Amino acid sequence: MKASNRERVELHMLTSLARSQRALCRIIETIADQVAVSEELAVHMAENLKTISEYQRSMIQKITKQSPRQRRLGTPGKPWISKNVARGSSPTHD
């Protein structure tokens, strides 16, 4: 497959995944009230959303050829802030 064709296919797949994400958001918003009332429905929806999410994650990893990041447990470090930002100074413009 030519590089340009491959890029076009990958772009199409990424666009499809983005559409799928938007659709999932709409579904979640639509059923949020019903899930709040029914614990059984909430568990069922959580399982279905997890399955869809895992499928999407594997698709994006195949497209981008990136391996999944490992989640680290422990205490997070201090946030890194630039010294210029911490002092409240802004860069000078010449």
Side-chain angles (χ1 to χ4, degrees):
M1 181 183 292
K2 292 170 95 174
S4 62
N5 287 341
R6 180 177 176 81
E7 289 173 356
R8 197 175 352 206
V9 169
E10 289 174 353
L11 179 60
H12 178 71
M13 291 176 75
L14 289 171
T15 303
S16 295
L17 285 169
R19 263 195 320 270
S20 176
Q21 284 293 314
R22 287 190 300 272
L24 282 176
C25 290
R26 286 193 310 270
I27 291 168
I28 291 168
E29 290 173 357
T30 301
I31 64 167
D33 292 334
Q34 288 78 20
V35 169
V37 174
S38 170
E39 187 175 327
E40 182 180 323
L41 181 57
V43 170
H44 183 68
M45 281 305 302
E47 291 170 354
N48 287 339
L49 291 173
K50 182 179 178 186
T51 301
I52 293 169
S53 176
E54 288 171 354
Y55 173 74
Q56 290 178 330
R57 186 176 298 113
S58 69
M59 288 294 296
I60 200 73
Q61 287 170 356
K62 286 179 187 255
I63 293 169
T64 62
K65 296 177 178 55
Q66 293 183 4
S67 58
R69 295 183 350 187
Q70 296 296 320
R71 184 170 284 199
R72 295 184 189 176
L73 300 177
T75 305
K78 292 182 180 180
W80 175 83
I81 299 177
S82 168
K83 291 180 182 178
N84 291 336
V85 173
R87 283 186 251 155
S89 61
S90 60
T92 59
H93 298 288
D94 295 324

